[in-house]
Amino acid sequence: MKLHFYCNPARRFGCTVFSAAPIAVCVLLLAPCAAWSAAAPAPIILTGADRRPSISLNGEWSSIVDPYFAGLFSFHHQEKANGWFLNQKAKPGDPFPTEYDFSKATKLKVPGDWNTQRDNLFFYEGPIWYQRDFTYQPKEHARLFLHVGAANYRSWFWVNGKKVCEHEGGYTSFNCELTSVVHAGDNFVVAAVDNTRHEDNVPTLETDWWNYGGLTREVSLIVLPDSFVDQYDLHLSRGEASVIEGWVHVEDAPPGAKVEVEIPELGAKTSAAAGDDGRAAVRFSAPALERWSPETPKLYKVEIRAGNDSIEDLIGFRTVETRGTEILLNGKPIFLRGVSIHAEAPYRTGRAYSDKDAETLLTWAKELGCNFVRLAHYPHDETMLRAADRMGLLVWSENPVYWALEFDNPKVLAKAEQQLDEEIGTLRNHAAIILWSMANETPNNPARTQFIGTLATRARSLDSSRLITAALLVRAEGNTKIIDDPLGQALDVIGFNEYIGWYEGHPDTADTTQWRIEYEKPLIVSEFGGGAKAGLHGSDNERWTEEYQSNIYRHQLPMLNKIPQLRGMSPWCLMDFRSPNRPLTGIQDYFNRKGLISDQGRKKLAFYLLQKAYQDRTVGKPE
Ligand code: GCU
């Protein structure tokens, strides 16, 4: 029996006796794992899952906070190890006490992090159980999937007491098949979600954002036919005008399954046969196509059919590429006037997930004069990408390879690859996304460069229509900043973070700072800025005041404008967001205050300064 990381009682119980303990004890301890760690099929990736008809499981779920994971483990009462996933009800005469009862348990809302739902869960990191009932009528030739928008960080799912899947990674969606475990009428689902941080997680122990736990995004049931379209990629060919190319993958496709792709508005359609691997390559011309761009975010209804399955998506078509140090959108040089955004919900705070959250955040970015946003430091909810497609905002999407991961640990690489596959597999048809970012601020050492180089190669093999980037650290010699991190070789576009005027020097240090760039590639300053408490005023040199933050921007923009190959910027950041690293009472109160807008929507002076520069086009080379 394979010992799951989590199953390693020695690790779990921290008991050093494990190795010394008689086998009997070991077996007793391991017994529960069997039931719990029984291998369940791996979840699948679905493209366009939000475009599928679904039965929502959002709403109030019963929840039990279980810091010691007693619902799975008990040293004394191994029989209690018949886990809480069985959702058992106590019966008179039971030989053992049942010490949990979901029907009496308090509720947690789904979607939603648990930290902002209850004061006593604000700092909580550990396992919490979720349970809810649902009714379902199985149909012939129909398969049922549990779609989870995201569950931070590790999660396990059981339906009617049977394990259906487990997942690691808090920011990507996954789908678990329920067909063989559901029955007509009443059913129940139990989930265990654990946001405990571990060294070998992705991201690892330390992040500068709140470790919001729970079923943080939508949960629903999706009914699909026996063979169905799980993933598809449709994009504009870079080489030929108005030629759409890509592929459609049919899960469990009968040999030679016919696939059709049609854009009724353009009278364009094609069909192709799926190969043995279930994939059908498609390519067709759409002469009347209007390209997607920030100015004209044109989206087309695209119908994809295969056998008894069909899905209708809303897709924009554009090309993005580099030419020397230029970034070309639809063949024309572009400057990315951007801002960085965390998935922190405006006003109510907590993990953002709704259309309203996305609308509010991206409307502020548009008000700022942006044509670009950096969604940091993990894949955001699909609602955010749908809104960016609609509103015409270009997107930098990032895999949560953040700071110092265990870059020499192959298991960690596998986790980062899985999250990358899920990010690209789910979000690949959003015209807004032009950049896949592999990482943020990682230490310059060979293991790291190898690790992220591998991810970059994988991203290119998954999607050759977009640009690969990462946010690099910068080194300095005197007042010269140097960008020569070897990781730059693996990237199409170089991102870099600098905090002149905040973590180093004074705002006017920027005036005398030189830059040496060791790459003939487009450059994006992916982070710069400083903190300010909204409403706190004082002199330009008084930290935490709006004047000080604004002064940083006043000196940054002319400095950055001198960098010849600068092709974009995404200052840090649009809105204040929660971070456990920021306790300064009365100023930060566990918020990173580098937002240009407070978490309550109050615009700071720097917002207006940058807005003017963006609207007057005084940043970057004129387009
Ligand atoms: C870092 C990091 C961010 C962080 C920011 C800050 O560069 O990438 O995640 O929030 O700096 O210190 O505010």
Side-chain angles (χ1 to χ4, degrees):
M1 174 169 44
K2 188 157 80 46
L3 269 186
H4 275 269
F5 154 82
Y6 213 77
C7 234
N8 176 339
R11 191 32 94 100
R12 167 114 189 104
F13 292 113
C15 59
T16 50
V17 296
F18 182 61
S19 51
I23 293 299
V25 176
C26 299
V27 173
L28 275 179
L29 280 175
L30 289 178
C33 298
W36 167 66
S37 65
I44 67 163
I45 298 171
L46 283 179
T47 311
D50 66 334
R51 302 288 300 175
R52 294 271 187 189
S54 66
I55 304 158
S56 174
L57 292 182
N58 292 341
E60 304 247 305
W61 290 49
S62 299
S63 65
I64 301 177
V65 180
D66 183 10
Y68 286 21
F69 237 155
L72 279 175
F73 296 91
S74 161
F75 185 75
H76 287 301
H77 309 298
Q78 59 274 359
E79 68 282 354
K80 201 171 89 177
N82 295 343
W84 297 355
F85 52 83
L86 292 175
N87 186 22
Q88 279 169 321
K89 295 274 176 295
K91 294 186 292 305
D94 273 354
F96 303 109
T98 299
E99 298 173 294
Y100 71 98
D101 184 341
F102 283 113
S103 65
K104 294 201 177 70
T106 46
K107 306 289 184 190
L108 277 174
K109 283 196 205 63
V110 172
D113 62 274
W114 58 60
N115 309 76
T116 55
Q117 291 192 51
R118 278 193 233 149
D119 292 350
N120 62 6
L121 293 178
F122 185 62
F123 288 105
Y124 182 70
E125 293 186 302
I128 291 188
W129 291 85
Y130 288 79
Q131 184 277 340
R132 68 157 289 168
D133 300 332
F134 65 91
T135 57
Y136 178 66
Q137 294 308 327
K139 295 181 217 45
E140 262 214 285
H141 302 301
R143 297 166 71 173
L144 184 67
F145 288 83
L146 178 71
H147 170 75
V148 181
N152 191 44
Y153 173 76
R154 284 203 74 177
S155 53
W156 301 262
F157 295 83
W158 296 263
V159 167
N160 300 333
K162 303 215 176 46
K163 181 137 174 235
V164 288
C165 69
E166 61 181 87
H167 184 267
E168 180 163 348
Y171 305 98
T172 44
S173 70
F174 53 96
N175 306 275
C176 315
E177 176 141 27
L178 309 185
T179 316
S180 63
V181 298
V182 280
H183 40 240
D186 297 336
N187 297 267
F188 67 85
V189 51
V190 172
V193 183
D194 182 4
N195 68 340
T196 304
R197 288 167 294 117
H198 297 281
E199 297 99 325
D200 61 357
N201 283 8
V202 178
T204 183
L205 288 173
E206 202 200 350
T207 65
D208 189 29
W209 70 84
W210 207 266
N211 181 25
Y212 289 125
L215 296 172
T216 53
R217 295 179 187 162
E218 307 239 329
V219 179
S220 61
L221 297 171
I222 297 179
V223 182
L224 296 169
D226 284 343
S227 108
F228 58 90
V229 175
D230 61 343
Q231 294 195 52
Y232 51 93
D233 177 295
L234 295 168
H235 59 267
L236 205 52
S237 153
R238 278 181 178 155
E240 294 148 277
S242 308
V243 169
I244 294 172
E245 58 187 10
W247 49 266
V248 175
H249 182 268
V250 186
E251 184 71 4
D252 297 329
K258 186 172 174 211
V259 164
E260 287 178 326
V261 177
E262 182 174 4
I263 307 181
E265 189 182 340
L266 294 171
K269 71 190 274 185
T270 187
S271 66
D276 296 349
D277 60 358
R279 189 184 268 211
V282 296
R283 192 182 164 75
F284 58 108
S285 167
L289 180 128
E290 183 190 338
R291 290 188 178 217
W292 183 97
S293 73
E295 295 73 28
T296 56
K298 173 67 184 168
L299 299 174
Y300 288 96
K301 275 208 182 96
V302 180
E303 292 167 9
I304 299 156
R305 293 179 290 270
N308 298 330
D309 192 25
S310 67
I311 181 166
E312 184 198 85
D313 204 343
L314 267 181
I315 302 179
F317 295 94
R318 51 99 194 95
T319 60
V320 64
E321 56 207 304
T322 61
R323 183 182 60 203
T325 63
E326 298 280 12
I327 297 176
L328 306 182
L329 183 74
N330 295 326
K332 290 202 227 62
I334 187 165
F335 186 86
L336 304 172
R337 296 183 308 280
V339 71
S340 293
I341 304 180
H342 255 298
E344 182 86 47
Y347 305 109
R348 75 168 194 278
T349 75
R351 186 57 70 221
Y353 61 80
S354 68
D355 289 333
K356 190 157 177 298
D357 295 335
E359 204 65 43
T360 305
L361 291 166
L362 297 186
T363 302
W364 283 336
K366 292 283 273 188
E367 273 176 43
L368 188 56
C370 293
N371 61 1
F372 170 62
V373 289
R374 175 188 179 205
L375 302 183
H377 291 293
Y378 38 78
H380 284 218
D381 193 306
E382 187 140 23
T383 52
M384 199 67 161
L385 284 311
R386 292 277 174 211
D389 280 350
R390 243 185 356 261
M391 297 162 79
L393 279 164
L394 297 159
V395 166
W396 160 310
S397 181
E398 188 157 288
N399 199 24
V401 173
Y402 180 90
W403 289 349
L405 257 62
E406 290 186 343
F407 290 113
D408 54 2
N409 180 341
K411 274 211 191 108
V412 173
L413 177 60
K415 293 177 186 182
E417 289 176 331
Q418 172 226 319
Q419 294 189 35
L420 187 66
D421 292 357
E422 290 173 350
E423 176 189 12
I424 297 181
T426 308
L427 304 177
R428 62 170 62 250
N429 292 302
H430 290 286
I433 302 178
I434 54 168
L435 290 152
W436 297 120
S437 169
M438 298 300 109
N440 178 71
E441 291 193 351
T442 49
N444 176 358
N445 63 53
R448 180 287 317 245
T449 307
Q450 165 87 30
F451 184 108
I452 300 178
T454 306
L455 288 178
T457 306
R458 189 180 188 92
R460 283 200 178 84
S461 70
L462 290 168
D463 175 14
S464 58
S465 73
R466 288 185 176 85
L467 304 174
I468 305 299
T469 190
L472 305 181
L473 291 167
V474 174
R475 68 185 182 87
E477 283 170 11
N479 69 347
T480 301
K481 291 283 183 192
I482 303 161
I483 300 179
D484 62 356
D485 182 328
L487 180 57
Q489 280 146 26
L491 310 176
D492 303 311
V493 173
I494 310 264
F496 70 97
N497 298 354
E498 53 89 4
Y499 280 93
I500 297 166
W502 185 254
Y503 291 127
E504 53 175 302
H506 300 286
D508 56 15
T509 307
D511 306 349
T512 54
T513 298
Q514 307 302 317
W515 286 85
R516 197 171 85 225
I517 321 290
E518 300 293 358
Y519 289 99
E520 267 310 296
K521 294 184 177 185
L523 217 57
I524 294 177
V525 53
S526 34
E527 289 183 35
F528 68 90
K533 168 87 175 161
L536 186 62
H537 292 286
S539 80
D540 279 2
N541 299 313
E542 224 175 309
R543 263 182 200 277
W544 301 113
T545 62
E546 292 192 28
E547 285 74 11
Y548 188 98
Q549 182 190 45
S550 181
N551 196 24
I552 289 175
Y553 279 75
R554 188 174 304 111
H555 290 274
Q556 280 280 335
L557 300 182
M559 173 195 70
L560 294 166
N561 259 347
K562 282 190 227 125
I563 301 176
Q565 70 240 72
L566 191 77
R567 295 291 173 260
M569 56 175 60
S570 53
W572 194 261
C573 54
L574 177 70
M575 187 188 89
D576 294 353
F577 60 94
R578 274 219 175 83
S579 166
N581 308 335
R582 314 291 175 176
L584 184 58
T585 311
I587 297 272
Q588 295 176 310
D589 299 313
Y590 292 110
F591 278 90
N592 182 312
R593 294 287 183 201
K594 295 192 179 70
L596 295 166
I597 304 176
S598 77
D599 52 290
Q600 294 309 308
R602 193 165 171 178
K603 294 187 174 83
K604 306 175 190 177
L605 289 179
F607 177 94
Y608 300 105
L609 186 146
L610 185 62
Q611 182 187 49
K612 183 157 180 15
Y614 279 176
Q615 284 167 352
D616 300 353
R617 300 284 193 273
T618 53
V619 285
K621 242 178 52 188
E623 286 155 26

